[in-house]
Each structure stands twice: as C-alpha cells, then as structure tokens.
Amino acid sequence: MRQAPILKPKFRKRQINKAWLPTHIYHAKRAHMTPPSEPLWRMAIPLSPTAKTYRPTHRAGTVRGAIAWDMSYMSTIGLSGPEGSIRNLLASIGVPWAEESTSTGPKASRWLTGTRSWNGWLHEHGTVPKAYIAPATIFWCVHEASDTTKTTDTRRQVMVRIHPSAFFQLWAETLRLSKLQRPVVFVEDLRYEIGSIELAGPAAAEAMIGTLWPSLQDSLHEPDSPSQVLSRLGNVTDASALPAGAMISTETSDPRLHHPPRSKKLNKTETLEAQQSLARLLTEWHVDRTQGPAALFSRQARHDAGHRLPTQKAINRRKSLAPPGEYPAAVEGDPKIPTLVLASRRAAGGTSTGTWTILLPWKCVLPVWYSLMYQPLSTGGNPRLGGLDQRRQLHFESGTPWFPGDYPATPAGAAWNARESTKRHEAWSRRPKGKRIEYESLDLGRGRKGEVGAGWSCEWGLLCGGSEGQSKSDKPVWHIPMHEALQAMRDTGTNSRTEGQQQGDASGLVTVKLTLLTRGVPTTCARVYRLPKTDAKLRAEWLSLLSLSKEKARHKATAVVPPLSRDAPVHERRRQLAASLLEPPAMPQAGDDGYPDTPDPDELLGFVTGGNFNLGEGRGTAIGSLALQRILEQEKHGLGEHERICIVRNVGQSIGRLARWDLV
C-alpha cells in the first residue's frame, strides 16, 4: 500500500492521522475544512468555501462561469499484465465490455483500444445476490504503434478510478482475483501518485484550455493530434457534446511559465461556417485514430514530471528575461506534464452541464490549480472554488445520486449514513427539551403517536421485514442498480427470476428521484409511503387531491383572466364572475381539516437520503431509496398512471405531500 508523501518538517505533525491534498494550504485559507481530528476518508477535505455559495454555485454550474474541485482524494488502482487476464479480472467484478460475448460492439472496441472510458458499477465476485461496491471509471492504455499483432497475451495497462470510501473493498477483491489469473495480473496502488482536478459549468472548457498549454513537442503536431484537438474545444459549453466517454491524452508545459494567465482568445462561433467546423470536430473526433499511448501510464514519466519541475526562483528568472508583456519562450529542456482529460456526460433530463476531469501527476496538481483558479473567463470573473457540499448540490440539482450518501445499501453508503445519523442525533440531544422535536409524542392522526423509527436516521430494516427499531446492520439490504430494477419490474408475474435474484428483490433498495407534485420541500430522512392499499377511503382522498392538483395546473395554464379596471362595464364584470364560478374547487391546504392523513407504517416505501428546493426545476425534489419488493407488489396490481405516485412526509411532521418517483 502506498503511503502519503512526506512534506516539510513543520507540517508533518499535522498529518499524523490524515493526509493533505496537494492544494491543502490554498483551501485552508479559503474554505471550511474537515475537523483536524475527524478526517474524511483518511484525508483533510474542503467542505465548502467561506463565502456564501449556494446560488452562485447553481449559476456557475448551469448558466454562466465554471466551478473547480481538487479531486485528488479519488483513489486509483493500476492493473498490468496480459490482456486476456486483465479482461477476465474485470469481467469478474462486473465490467460487461470485458467479456468476449459483449466486446465486439463499436463502444466496447473503442474502450478496449484505449480511446474511451467506461463508467459503471463494480461488484464482488461470486456473491448471491451481487454485493455492489461502488461506481468506477476504467480506461486502457493505447497500444504501441509497433504492435501490429494483437493477441490476448499482449501486455496492457488499465487504470481504475474509484471513490476512496470503497477503495479498500475493491483493493482486496482485485488483489484476490489477480492471484487467480494465469498469467498473473499485477496490481498497483496509485494513490498519492496521480491527482485530479474536476471542472463543471459552461465556461469549464475555456478555463481548462487556458490553463493547459501544450508542450513544445505537442505544439508542433498535425491539426488532428490530441493536443491540437484539445486546444480547439474552448467554445464547447457542455462536455456532453463530446462522444460518450471521450478521452484526450497530451503533454502540457509548466503553467507557471504563463502566469498570470490571460483571457483565452476563442474562435467566434457566430457564423454558420464556424458552427459547422465545431460540429464536424465533435462528430468526426479524429482522436480515435491519432491517440497514442498515454504518458500518464508510465511511472518514469510521472516521476520526471514531478521531480524535474523548476523552482519558483528559476521560473521568475526566466520571466524577467522575457520581453515586456510576453511569456518566456519554451525551450527543449522544459518538463512535460503527462495529462489525461476525461469528459463525462450529464444525467438524462438534468439541468447541469457535463464535467471535465484532468488527471496528472500528484506533484503537478498545485501549479496547475493556481493557474486554473486565476484564469480570466470571457463571461467575467474566474472559476469558482468548490467543496464537497457544492459537489453534492450540483448532483442533486441534476437529479444524479451522489456516492456514497445516496447509496445506503452499499458498505460505503452505510458508513456515511451512520456517521451522518450520529451527527444529527448529537445535534438533537444538545438542544433543550423545550426547543427540540419530541419524536415519541408526534401526532400522526387517527390516534397514532410517535415517529416511524428514529427521527434522526433512516430505518432500512423496516422495509425488509424488520420490526421497528431494528437497524440496517441487523437486517442486511442490497443495492439494486437501475438496469436490474427495470428487469425485475418487467419480469413481474413470471417465473423467470432465479433464486438469487428473488433474494435480492426481497431485501434490495433502488435509488430514485422524487419530484413533489404540490408545494413543499422534502428534507433528509423524510418517510416515503405508497398510496394506501388496505384503507380504500384514505386512498380515495389522496387520489382526489392528485386529480385536483392536475386540474388546477391545467386551468391555470389555459384560463388566465386579466384584471379589470375600475371603470369596466357591467357585462365584463359579469363575464369575469362567471369565469370564476367555473374554476375548479379549491384544493385543501396542508393542515386543514379536509387534508388526508398519512398512511400507516405498513405502507412505508422508503426514505429520503437528500432533499431540498431545486433551483434548476423551481420545486422541491429529493433523492431517496425505495424497497424493490414493495415496488414489485404495486406492479402486480397494475395501478396504471398511479403506479409511481407516492406520499412524502418530512420527519417530525404529520403532513404528507404527493410526489412522483423515477428510477435513476
């Protein structure tokens, strides 16, 4: 296992039980960090900038500007060995494109060639049901140009990027499977050797292009080379416009030679010819045939880039010798920083743009970061600093679950939710008894008293046959990805499910996006109910509320009555009176006597893991987990248009809100 790099002696005592990011000192002056005695995933991670950033983060991520994160805490595992052995190992942990039967398609072939990346879920080998670990990104190193005879014995290299909370679980599984391969696969821990920076927002590509200057050798390449293609992407406002899983490998120069950065001159795209040129670049994508082996896979290249960087004093000397107003000229001995750029697409139907991930050696992250944060943008300002909270916010607004918080059925997600539950319980205990919610005396209507489960946590055991108060550790649950959940819903009513699949269905959780159909804002730990099955009267009340909300929305969109002036004639006043009489009946407001009560605990469907007011949609939304078995029970009854309607009740409150859930 690789150890954290040793820093200056005056900083060593501060890293006894944690490691620092390459940009720790920059963040410590501008952001709220994790407490010194409570590191997150064994590292000191910035949580949020000290300035107010909720609305500015929404604008920078979706409308104007860019936002950047130091993602060097992400873990990287390197695999090297014969191609056949590596593919067998990857197929064992859930990579479908590594299997022989599914590796013939164009997407899989590009991934195996090394010009595309794969994103998906990995699981442990041989478990029933499948024990999913975490989502990961996997990409190959391109073959050498001299390799004309490609066989399964050809030595290849692969990198696997995964969240640090699931690193040890994947490391142990990969190490075990590598010893079973013949020939053997070598596994390498690349933490603290490869760092990364992530960018999001319409101006993210512009900031990235202004920071990554090609090295002297790359600047002389042909127009279709990866470095030249990268320099022409400044006008791209959404990384989703690039091919799925696009990768660009290049070598860049020391950004300190071009500091302070200047606004990048972008090609104007107002003319039809310029727009067509950019469209041809994105559709033809010459990088697929011009991409060479990525220097980032070479240990020697990573070592040289990190240890041959000149001192700041040498940089200042070269800048003083340059002509006024010009950057120092590139020379043959300048260090080359191996860089790999990954473009990821946004979620389907989301409001945010795609993201750009820059992979580079660990010791080269800091100079690139400083140049990036001071890069002027054409829309004004500089890229914004992002922390863990801003990353969760953009995931939430785009309707994308955030790992590990929104996946409580995984070991990493269970640990995160247990940690957050403990913090909420401690905050609740510190409040005086007169100023905190007494969950035991909560009135849920119809003579029911007390909250369902603990008010500061999500009782997942209640969804899988457990009794109230039974924790998730007592009643294990399994994560079910969206494609498996859809297959289970299609197989409802048939006998095609295997014993292992039925076991996973009985205790499986699926991740969903919840959209409120009426007013209200869902919060974390909110309870999600299905429409009542046993109480027909209560079910009819909720369905009538649903029909009233639809009718009111339809009437509001079509029949807008303008206000009348004071001197309006009598016949117009009568016409307006008649129109008001034809309006749909008023909906009962939350808290009124006619508002329906929440269903019984037997109708519990799941819990909310994160909710708030969504600035992108202008309404309350949430991300939660629902019990797959209870969803399949609804599928058997064939509820039609009411199949995905649910009721969301915030913890500590007795009022429910109608919502619609969708698998994500």
PDB file of all heavy atoms in Angstrom, residues 396 424 437 439 451 455 458 514 516 520-528 606-613 620-624 648-653 657:
ATOM      1  N   PHE A 396     -27.402  16.932  -6.871  1.00  0.00           N
ATOM      2  CA  PHE A 396     -28.817  16.970  -6.502  1.00  0.00           C
ATOM      3  C   PHE A 396     -29.642  17.723  -7.543  1.00  0.00           C
ATOM      4  O   PHE A 396     -30.722  17.269  -7.950  1.00  0.00           O
ATOM      5  CB  PHE A 396     -28.950  17.636  -5.127  1.00  0.00           C
ATOM      6  CG  PHE A 396     -30.346  18.058  -4.784  1.00  0.00           C
ATOM      7  CD1 PHE A 396     -31.304  17.125  -4.441  1.00  0.00           C
ATOM      8  CD2 PHE A 396     -30.704  19.394  -4.812  1.00  0.00           C
ATOM      9  CE1 PHE A 396     -32.591  17.513  -4.128  1.00  0.00           C
ATOM     10  CE2 PHE A 396     -31.985  19.794  -4.504  1.00  0.00           C
ATOM     11  CZ  PHE A 396     -32.931  18.849  -4.157  1.00  0.00           C
ATOM     12  N   ARG A 424     -26.588  13.974  13.488  1.00  0.00           N
ATOM     13  CA  ARG A 424     -27.931  14.527  13.694  1.00  0.00           C
ATOM     14  C   ARG A 424     -28.447  14.217  15.097  1.00  0.00           C
ATOM     15  O   ARG A 424     -29.107  15.055  15.725  1.00  0.00           O
ATOM     16  CB  ARG A 424     -28.883  13.970  12.636  1.00  0.00           C
ATOM     17  CG  ARG A 424     -28.693  14.560  11.252  1.00  0.00           C
ATOM     18  CD  ARG A 424     -29.831  14.158  10.333  1.00  0.00           C
ATOM     19  NE  ARG A 424     -29.812  12.739  10.039  1.00  0.00           N
ATOM     20  CZ  ARG A 424     -29.235  12.192   8.983  1.00  0.00           C
ATOM     21  NH1 ARG A 424     -28.615  12.967   8.100  1.00  0.00           N
ATOM     22  NH2 ARG A 424     -29.266  10.893   8.779  1.00  0.00           N
ATOM     23  N   ILE A 437     -37.733  18.640  18.761  1.00  0.00           N
ATOM     24  CA  ILE A 437     -38.901  17.833  18.418  1.00  0.00           C
ATOM     25  C   ILE A 437     -38.889  16.560  19.253  1.00  0.00           C
ATOM     26  O   ILE A 437     -37.885  15.839  19.291  1.00  0.00           O
ATOM     27  CB  ILE A 437     -38.895  17.493  16.919  1.00  0.00           C
ATOM     28  CG1 ILE A 437     -38.932  18.771  16.079  1.00  0.00           C
ATOM     29  CG2 ILE A 437     -40.068  16.600  16.562  1.00  0.00           C
ATOM     30  CD1 ILE A 437     -38.803  18.526  14.595  1.00  0.00           C
ATOM     31  N   TYR A 439     -39.984  13.168  19.156  1.00  0.00           N
ATOM     32  CA  TYR A 439     -40.486  12.230  18.157  1.00  0.00           C
ATOM     33  C   TYR A 439     -41.465  11.217  18.746  1.00  0.00           C
ATOM     34  O   TYR A 439     -42.350  10.728  18.045  1.00  0.00           O
ATOM     35  CB  TYR A 439     -39.310  11.496  17.502  1.00  0.00           C
ATOM     36  CG  TYR A 439     -38.389  12.409  16.728  1.00  0.00           C
ATOM     37  CD1 TYR A 439     -37.101  12.675  17.185  1.00  0.00           C
ATOM     38  CD2 TYR A 439     -38.808  13.013  15.553  1.00  0.00           C
ATOM     39  CE1 TYR A 439     -36.255  13.510  16.475  1.00  0.00           C
ATOM     40  CE2 TYR A 439     -37.967  13.856  14.839  1.00  0.00           C
ATOM     41  CZ  TYR A 439     -36.689  14.096  15.311  1.00  0.00           C
ATOM     42  OH  TYR A 439     -35.860  14.931  14.614  1.00  0.00           O
ATOM     43  N   GLU A 451     -43.005   8.862  15.976  1.00  0.00           N
ATOM     44  CA  GLU A 451     -42.388   8.798  14.657  1.00  0.00           C
ATOM     45  C   GLU A 451     -42.119   7.349  14.262  1.00  0.00           C
ATOM     46  O   GLU A 451     -41.928   6.475  15.116  1.00  0.00           O
ATOM     47  CB  GLU A 451     -41.081   9.603  14.666  1.00  0.00           C
ATOM     48  CG  GLU A 451     -40.358   9.687  13.342  1.00  0.00           C
ATOM     49  CD  GLU A 451     -41.200  10.306  12.258  1.00  0.00           C
ATOM     50  OE1 GLU A 451     -41.270  11.531  12.182  1.00  0.00           O
ATOM     51  OE2 GLU A 451     -41.810   9.521  11.496  1.00  0.00           O
ATOM     52  N   GLY A 455     -36.012   9.457  14.608  1.00  0.00           N
ATOM     53  CA  GLY A 455     -36.193  10.664  13.815  1.00  0.00           C
ATOM     54  C   GLY A 455     -34.927  11.187  13.190  1.00  0.00           C
ATOM     55  O   GLY A 455     -34.993  12.032  12.290  1.00  0.00           O
ATOM     56  N   CYS A 458     -32.512   6.789   9.042  1.00  0.00           N
ATOM     57  CA  CYS A 458     -33.386   6.031   8.142  1.00  0.00           C
ATOM     58  C   CYS A 458     -33.336   4.566   8.568  1.00  0.00           C
ATOM     59  O   CYS A 458     -32.274   3.935   8.489  1.00  0.00           O
ATOM     60  CB  CYS A 458     -32.937   6.181   6.690  1.00  0.00           C
ATOM     61  SG  CYS A 458     -32.871   7.883   6.098  1.00  0.00           S
ATOM     62  N   LEU A 514     -37.288  11.850  -6.460  1.00  0.00           N
ATOM     63  CA  LEU A 514     -38.637  12.197  -6.038  1.00  0.00           C
ATOM     64  C   LEU A 514     -38.917  13.643  -6.419  1.00  0.00           C
ATOM     65  O   LEU A 514     -38.131  14.542  -6.091  1.00  0.00           O
ATOM     66  CB  LEU A 514     -38.795  12.009  -4.528  1.00  0.00           C
ATOM     67  CG  LEU A 514     -38.582  10.578  -4.015  1.00  0.00           C
ATOM     68  CD1 LEU A 514     -38.320  10.582  -2.522  1.00  0.00           C
ATOM     69  CD2 LEU A 514     -39.784   9.716  -4.331  1.00  0.00           C
ATOM     70  N   LEU A 516     -41.883  16.527  -6.068  1.00  0.00           N
ATOM     71  CA  LEU A 516     -43.151  16.872  -5.431  1.00  0.00           C
ATOM     72  C   LEU A 516     -44.111  17.437  -6.469  1.00  0.00           C
ATOM     73  O   LEU A 516     -43.729  18.268  -7.301  1.00  0.00           O
ATOM     74  CB  LEU A 516     -42.934  17.880  -4.308  1.00  0.00           C
ATOM     75  CG  LEU A 516     -42.143  17.398  -3.085  1.00  0.00           C
ATOM     76  CD1 LEU A 516     -42.262  18.408  -1.955  1.00  0.00           C
ATOM     77  CD2 LEU A 516     -42.612  16.037  -2.609  1.00  0.00           C
ATOM     78  N   GLY A 520     -44.186  22.381  -1.028  1.00  0.00           N
ATOM     79  CA  GLY A 520     -43.439  21.681  -0.002  1.00  0.00           C
ATOM     80  C   GLY A 520     -42.014  21.401  -0.432  1.00  0.00           C
ATOM     81  O   GLY A 520     -41.687  21.405  -1.624  1.00  0.00           O
ATOM     82  N   VAL A 521     -41.161  21.162   0.560  1.00  0.00           N
ATOM     83  CA  VAL A 521     -39.746  20.866   0.325  1.00  0.00           C
ATOM     84  C   VAL A 521     -39.379  19.638   1.145  1.00  0.00           C
ATOM     85  O   VAL A 521     -39.462  19.664   2.376  1.00  0.00           O
ATOM     86  CB  VAL A 521     -38.844  22.054   0.721  1.00  0.00           C
ATOM     87  CG1 VAL A 521     -37.379  21.694   0.536  1.00  0.00           C
ATOM     88  CG2 VAL A 521     -39.192  23.289  -0.093  1.00  0.00           C
ATOM     89  N   PRO A 522     -38.979  18.538   0.511  1.00  0.00           N
ATOM     90  CA  PRO A 522     -38.569  17.351   1.277  1.00  0.00           C
ATOM     91  C   PRO A 522     -37.197  17.550   1.900  1.00  0.00           C
ATOM     92  O   PRO A 522     -36.349  18.267   1.366  1.00  0.00           O
ATOM     93  CB  PRO A 522     -38.552  16.243   0.224  1.00  0.00           C
ATOM     94  CG  PRO A 522     -38.287  16.958  -1.057  1.00  0.00           C
ATOM     95  CD  PRO A 522     -38.922  18.315  -0.934  1.00  0.00           C
ATOM     96  N   THR A 523     -36.981  16.917   3.025  1.00  0.00           N
ATOM     97  CA  THR A 523     -35.709  17.011   3.730  1.00  0.00           C
ATOM     98  C   THR A 523     -35.139  15.616   3.949  1.00  0.00           C
ATOM     99  O   THR A 523     -35.805  14.601   3.719  1.00  0.00           O
ATOM    100  CB  THR A 523     -35.888  17.719   5.091  1.00  0.00           C
ATOM    101  OG1 THR A 523     -36.862  17.000   5.866  1.00  0.00           O
ATOM    102  CG2 THR A 523     -36.356  19.151   4.894  1.00  0.00           C
ATOM    103  N   THR A 524     -33.894  15.579   4.405  1.00  0.00           N
ATOM    104  CA  THR A 524     -33.230  14.304   4.654  1.00  0.00           C
ATOM    105  C   THR A 524     -33.975  13.517   5.726  1.00  0.00           C
ATOM    106  O   THR A 524     -34.480  14.087   6.696  1.00  0.00           O
ATOM    107  CB  THR A 524     -31.780  14.550   5.086  1.00  0.00           C
ATOM    108  OG1 THR A 524     -31.127  15.341   4.096  1.00  0.00           O
ATOM    109  CG2 THR A 524     -31.027  13.248   5.240  1.00  0.00           C
ATOM    110  N   CYS A 525     -34.042  12.218   5.556  1.00  0.00           N
ATOM    111  CA  CYS A 525     -34.719  11.269   6.451  1.00  0.00           C
ATOM    112  C   CYS A 525     -36.235  11.318   6.327  1.00  0.00           C
ATOM    113  O   CYS A 525     -36.941  10.714   7.151  1.00  0.00           O
ATOM    114  CB  CYS A 525     -34.328  11.476   7.911  1.00  0.00           C
ATOM    115  SG  CYS A 525     -32.600  11.126   8.262  1.00  0.00           S
ATOM    116  N   ALA A 526     -36.776  12.022   5.332  1.00  0.00           N
ATOM    117  CA  ALA A 526     -38.226  12.026   5.141  1.00  0.00           C
ATOM    118  C   ALA A 526     -38.714  10.620   4.817  1.00  0.00           C
ATOM    119  O   ALA A 526     -38.025   9.834   4.167  1.00  0.00           O
ATOM    120  CB  ALA A 526     -38.611  12.998   4.029  1.00  0.00           C
ATOM    121  N   ARG A 527     -39.925  10.309   5.273  1.00  0.00           N
ATOM    122  CA  ARG A 527     -40.522   8.994   5.046  1.00  0.00           C
ATOM    123  C   ARG A 527     -41.318   9.005   3.746  1.00  0.00           C
ATOM    124  O   ARG A 527     -42.060   9.965   3.484  1.00  0.00           O
ATOM    125  CB  ARG A 527     -41.442   8.621   6.200  1.00  0.00           C
ATOM    126  CG  ARG A 527     -40.775   7.975   7.406  1.00  0.00           C
ATOM    127  CD  ARG A 527     -39.638   8.731   8.001  1.00  0.00           C
ATOM    128  NE  ARG A 527     -39.130   8.072   9.208  1.00  0.00           N
ATOM    129  CZ  ARG A 527     -37.944   8.300   9.732  1.00  0.00           C
ATOM    130  NH1 ARG A 527     -37.123   9.174   9.168  1.00  0.00           N
ATOM    131  NH2 ARG A 527     -37.561   7.669  10.828  1.00  0.00           N
ATOM    132  N   VAL A 528     -41.176   7.958   2.955  1.00  0.00           N
ATOM    133  CA  VAL A 528     -41.869   7.838   1.674  1.00  0.00           C
ATOM    134  C   VAL A 528     -42.865   6.686   1.782  1.00  0.00           C
ATOM    135  O   VAL A 528     -42.478   5.553   2.111  1.00  0.00           O
ATOM    136  CB  VAL A 528     -40.881   7.589   0.513  1.00  0.00           C
ATOM    137  CG1 VAL A 528     -41.623   7.534  -0.815  1.00  0.00           C
ATOM    138  CG2 VAL A 528     -39.811   8.672   0.482  1.00  0.00           C
ATOM    139  N   GLY A 606     -39.960   3.777   1.523  1.00  0.00           N
ATOM    140  CA  GLY A 606     -38.532   4.072   1.564  1.00  0.00           C
ATOM    141  C   GLY A 606     -38.270   5.337   2.351  1.00  0.00           C
ATOM    142  O   GLY A 606     -39.133   5.851   3.078  1.00  0.00           O
ATOM    143  N   PHE A 607     -37.050   5.874   2.175  1.00  0.00           N
ATOM    144  CA  PHE A 607     -36.619   7.067   2.890  1.00  0.00           C
ATOM    145  C   PHE A 607     -35.894   7.995   1.922  1.00  0.00           C
ATOM    146  O   PHE A 607     -35.380   7.565   0.884  1.00  0.00           O
ATOM    147  CB  PHE A 607     -35.678   6.714   4.049  1.00  0.00           C
ATOM    148  CG  PHE A 607     -36.318   5.889   5.126  1.00  0.00           C
ATOM    149  CD1 PHE A 607     -36.290   4.501   5.062  1.00  0.00           C
ATOM    150  CD2 PHE A 607     -36.948   6.487   6.202  1.00  0.00           C
ATOM    151  CE1 PHE A 607     -36.866   3.730   6.050  1.00  0.00           C
ATOM    152  CE2 PHE A 607     -37.533   5.726   7.197  1.00  0.00           C
ATOM    153  CZ  PHE A 607     -37.494   4.347   7.121  1.00  0.00           C
ATOM    154  N   VAL A 608     -35.848   9.263   2.293  1.00  0.00           N
ATOM    155  CA  VAL A 608     -35.131  10.282   1.521  1.00  0.00           C
ATOM    156  C   VAL A 608     -33.724  10.409   2.080  1.00  0.00           C
ATOM    157  O   VAL A 608     -33.541  10.591   3.291  1.00  0.00           O
ATOM    158  CB  VAL A 608     -35.871  11.634   1.585  1.00  0.00           C
ATOM    159  CG1 VAL A 608     -35.005  12.750   1.007  1.00  0.00           C
ATOM    160  CG2 VAL A 608     -37.187  11.552   0.832  1.00  0.00           C
ATOM    161  N   THR A 609     -32.728  10.309   1.219  1.00  0.00           N
ATOM    162  CA  THR A 609     -31.335  10.474   1.639  1.00  0.00           C
ATOM    163  C   THR A 609     -30.816  11.883   1.405  1.00  0.00           C
ATOM    164  O   THR A 609     -29.767  12.243   1.936  1.00  0.00           O
ATOM    165  CB  THR A 609     -30.441   9.479   0.889  1.00  0.00           C
ATOM    166  OG1 THR A 609     -30.646   9.624  -0.524  1.00  0.00           O
ATOM    167  CG2 THR A 609     -30.777   8.053   1.292  1.00  0.00           C
ATOM    168  N   GLY A 610     -31.519  12.682   0.618  1.00  0.00           N
ATOM    169  CA  GLY A 610     -31.129  14.071   0.396  1.00  0.00           C
ATOM    170  C   GLY A 610     -32.226  14.816  -0.330  1.00  0.00           C
ATOM    171  O   GLY A 610     -32.684  14.374  -1.385  1.00  0.00           O
ATOM    172  N   GLY A 611     -32.675  15.939   0.221  1.00  0.00           N
ATOM    173  CA  GLY A 611     -33.747  16.706  -0.402  1.00  0.00           C
ATOM    174  C   GLY A 611     -33.616  18.178  -0.092  1.00  0.00           C
ATOM    175  O   GLY A 611     -33.056  18.569   0.935  1.00  0.00           O
ATOM    176  N   ASN A 612     -34.154  19.007  -0.990  1.00  0.00           N
ATOM    177  CA  ASN A 612     -34.103  20.451  -0.811  1.00  0.00           C
ATOM    178  C   ASN A 612     -34.936  21.085  -1.922  1.00  0.00           C
ATOM    179  O   ASN A 612     -35.529  20.387  -2.747  1.00  0.00           O
ATOM    180  CB  ASN A 612     -32.662  20.966  -0.873  1.00  0.00           C
ATOM    181  CG  ASN A 612     -32.478  22.265  -0.113  1.00  0.00           C
ATOM    182  OD1 ASN A 612     -33.427  23.023   0.082  1.00  0.00           O
ATOM    183  ND2 ASN A 612     -31.260  22.521   0.332  1.00  0.00           N
ATOM    184  N   PHE A 613     -34.952  22.410  -1.948  1.00  0.00           N
ATOM    185  CA  PHE A 613     -35.588  23.122  -3.052  1.00  0.00           C
ATOM    186  C   PHE A 613     -34.618  23.140  -4.223  1.00  0.00           C
ATOM    187  O   PHE A 613     -33.484  23.595  -4.098  1.00  0.00           O
ATOM    188  CB  PHE A 613     -35.958  24.543  -2.638  1.00  0.00           C
ATOM    189  CG  PHE A 613     -36.724  25.288  -3.696  1.00  0.00           C
ATOM    190  CD1 PHE A 613     -38.090  25.128  -3.824  1.00  0.00           C
ATOM    191  CD2 PHE A 613     -36.074  26.137  -4.577  1.00  0.00           C
ATOM    192  CE1 PHE A 613     -38.797  25.813  -4.799  1.00  0.00           C
ATOM    193  CE2 PHE A 613     -36.767  26.820  -5.555  1.00  0.00           C
ATOM    194  CZ  PHE A 613     -38.137  26.659  -5.665  1.00  0.00           C
ATOM    195  N   GLY A 620     -39.590  21.494  -5.069  1.00  0.00           N
ATOM    196  CA  GLY A 620     -38.899  20.604  -4.161  1.00  0.00           C
ATOM    197  C   GLY A 620     -38.672  19.241  -4.783  1.00  0.00           C
ATOM    198  O   GLY A 620     -39.594  18.632  -5.330  1.00  0.00           O
ATOM    199  N   THR A 621     -37.455  18.757  -4.725  1.00  0.00           N
ATOM    200  CA  THR A 621     -37.107  17.426  -5.216  1.00  0.00           C
ATOM    201  C   THR A 621     -36.238  16.736  -4.175  1.00  0.00           C
ATOM    202  O   THR A 621     -35.758  17.359  -3.222  1.00  0.00           O
ATOM    203  CB  THR A 621     -36.362  17.478  -6.560  1.00  0.00           C
ATOM    204  OG1 THR A 621     -35.127  18.194  -6.381  1.00  0.00           O
ATOM    205  CG2 THR A 621     -37.195  18.167  -7.627  1.00  0.00           C
ATOM    206  N   ALA A 622     -36.024  15.450  -4.373  1.00  0.00           N
ATOM    207  CA  ALA A 622     -35.228  14.677  -3.421  1.00  0.00           C
ATOM    208  C   ALA A 622     -34.669  13.450  -4.119  1.00  0.00           C
ATOM    209  O   ALA A 622     -35.143  13.033  -5.178  1.00  0.00           O
ATOM    210  CB  ALA A 622     -36.067  14.265  -2.208  1.00  0.00           C
ATOM    211  N   ILE A 623     -33.637  12.891  -3.506  1.00  0.00           N
ATOM    212  CA  ILE A 623     -33.073  11.600  -3.897  1.00  0.00           C
ATOM    213  C   ILE A 623     -33.297  10.653  -2.725  1.00  0.00           C
ATOM    214  O   ILE A 623     -33.012  10.998  -1.572  1.00  0.00           O
ATOM    215  CB  ILE A 623     -31.573  11.701  -4.220  1.00  0.00           C
ATOM    216  CG1 ILE A 623     -31.335  12.672  -5.374  1.00  0.00           C
ATOM    217  CG2 ILE A 623     -31.008  10.332  -4.562  1.00  0.00           C
ATOM    218  CD1 ILE A 623     -31.882  12.216  -6.701  1.00  0.00           C
ATOM    219  N   GLY A 624     -33.818   9.484  -3.004  1.00  0.00           N
ATOM    220  CA  GLY A 624     -34.106   8.536  -1.939  1.00  0.00           C
ATOM    221  C   GLY A 624     -33.915   7.108  -2.397  1.00  0.00           C
ATOM    222  O   GLY A 624     -33.547   6.831  -3.544  1.00  0.00           O
ATOM    223  N   VAL A 648     -44.760  11.763   0.501  1.00  0.00           N
ATOM    224  CA  VAL A 648     -43.525  12.089   1.223  1.00  0.00           C
ATOM    225  C   VAL A 648     -43.888  12.891   2.463  1.00  0.00           C
ATOM    226  O   VAL A 648     -44.585  13.909   2.370  1.00  0.00           O
ATOM    227  CB  VAL A 648     -42.550  12.884   0.329  1.00  0.00           C
ATOM    228  CG1 VAL A 648     -41.285  13.237   1.101  1.00  0.00           C
ATOM    229  CG2 VAL A 648     -42.203  12.090  -0.919  1.00  0.00           C
ATOM    230  N   ARG A 649     -43.431  12.430   3.610  1.00  0.00           N
ATOM    231  CA  ARG A 649     -43.672  13.131   4.882  1.00  0.00           C
ATOM    232  C   ARG A 649     -42.334  13.410   5.545  1.00  0.00           C
ATOM    233  O   ARG A 649     -41.557  12.496   5.827  1.00  0.00           O
ATOM    234  CB  ARG A 649     -44.549  12.281   5.809  1.00  0.00           C
ATOM    235  CG  ARG A 649     -44.818  12.936   7.165  1.00  0.00           C
ATOM    236  CD  ARG A 649     -45.641  12.038   8.062  1.00  0.00           C
ATOM    237  NE  ARG A 649     -44.957  10.802   8.393  1.00  0.00           N
ATOM    238  CZ  ARG A 649     -44.059  10.678   9.369  1.00  0.00           C
ATOM    239  NH1 ARG A 649     -43.713  11.735  10.097  1.00  0.00           N
ATOM    240  NH2 ARG A 649     -43.491   9.503   9.610  1.00  0.00           N
ATOM    241  N   ASN A 650     -42.063  14.686   5.799  1.00  0.00           N
ATOM    242  CA  ASN A 650     -40.820  15.055   6.468  1.00  0.00           C
ATOM    243  C   ASN A 650     -40.812  14.528   7.896  1.00  0.00           C
ATOM    244  O   ASN A 650     -41.851  14.473   8.563  1.00  0.00           O
ATOM    245  CB  ASN A 650     -40.637  16.572   6.475  1.00  0.00           C
ATOM    246  CG  ASN A 650     -40.246  17.107   5.115  1.00  0.00           C
ATOM    247  OD1 ASN A 650     -39.710  16.385   4.283  1.00  0.00           O
ATOM    248  ND2 ASN A 650     -40.510  18.378   4.873  1.00  0.00           N
ATOM    249  N   VAL A 651     -39.634  14.156   8.365  1.00  0.00           N
ATOM    250  CA  VAL A 651     -39.519  13.602   9.703  1.00  0.00           C
ATOM    251  C   VAL A 651     -39.871  14.683  10.727  1.00  0.00           C
ATOM    252  O   VAL A 651     -39.510  15.855  10.581  1.00  0.00           O
ATOM    253  CB  VAL A 651     -38.091  13.061   9.927  1.00  0.00           C
ATOM    254  CG1 VAL A 651     -37.059  14.174   9.887  1.00  0.00           C
ATOM    255  CG2 VAL A 651     -37.996  12.304  11.230  1.00  0.00           C
ATOM    256  N   GLY A 652     -40.638  14.300  11.739  1.00  0.00           N
ATOM    257  CA  GLY A 652     -41.072  15.248  12.755  1.00  0.00           C
ATOM    258  C   GLY A 652     -42.308  16.021  12.385  1.00  0.00           C
ATOM    259  O   GLY A 652     -42.746  16.875  13.158  1.00  0.00           O
ATOM    260  N   GLN A 653     -42.901  15.764  11.213  1.00  0.00           N
ATOM    261  CA  GLN A 653     -44.119  16.432  10.778  1.00  0.00           C
ATOM    262  C   GLN A 653     -45.189  15.388  10.482  1.00  0.00           C
ATOM    263  O   GLN A 653     -44.882  14.224  10.206  1.00  0.00           O
ATOM    264  CB  GLN A 653     -43.860  17.288   9.536  1.00  0.00           C
ATOM    265  CG  GLN A 653     -42.842  18.393   9.744  1.00  0.00           C
ATOM    266  CD  GLN A 653     -42.626  19.223   8.493  1.00  0.00           C
ATOM    267  OE1 GLN A 653     -43.337  19.067   7.500  1.00  0.00           O
ATOM    268  NE2 GLN A 653     -41.644  20.106   8.536  1.00  0.00           N
ATOM    269  N   ARG A 657     -47.004  14.925   1.451  1.00  0.00           N
ATOM    270  CA  ARG A 657     -47.067  15.620   0.164  1.00  0.00           C
ATOM    271  C   ARG A 657     -47.031  14.586  -0.959  1.00  0.00           C
ATOM    272  O   ARG A 657     -46.274  13.612  -0.892  1.00  0.00           O
ATOM    273  CB  ARG A 657     -45.882  16.576  -0.004  1.00  0.00           C
ATOM    274  CG  ARG A 657     -45.715  17.586   1.118  1.00  0.00           C
ATOM    275  CD  ARG A 657     -46.649  18.753   0.965  1.00  0.00           C
ATOM    276  NE  ARG A 657     -46.386  19.787   1.970  1.00  0.00           N
ATOM    277  CZ  ARG A 657     -47.020  20.944   2.024  1.00  0.00           C
ATOM    278  NH1 ARG A 657     -47.947  21.236   1.123  1.00  0.00           N
ATOM    279  NH2 ARG A 657     -46.741  21.830   2.965  1.00  0.00           N
TER     280      ARG A 657
END
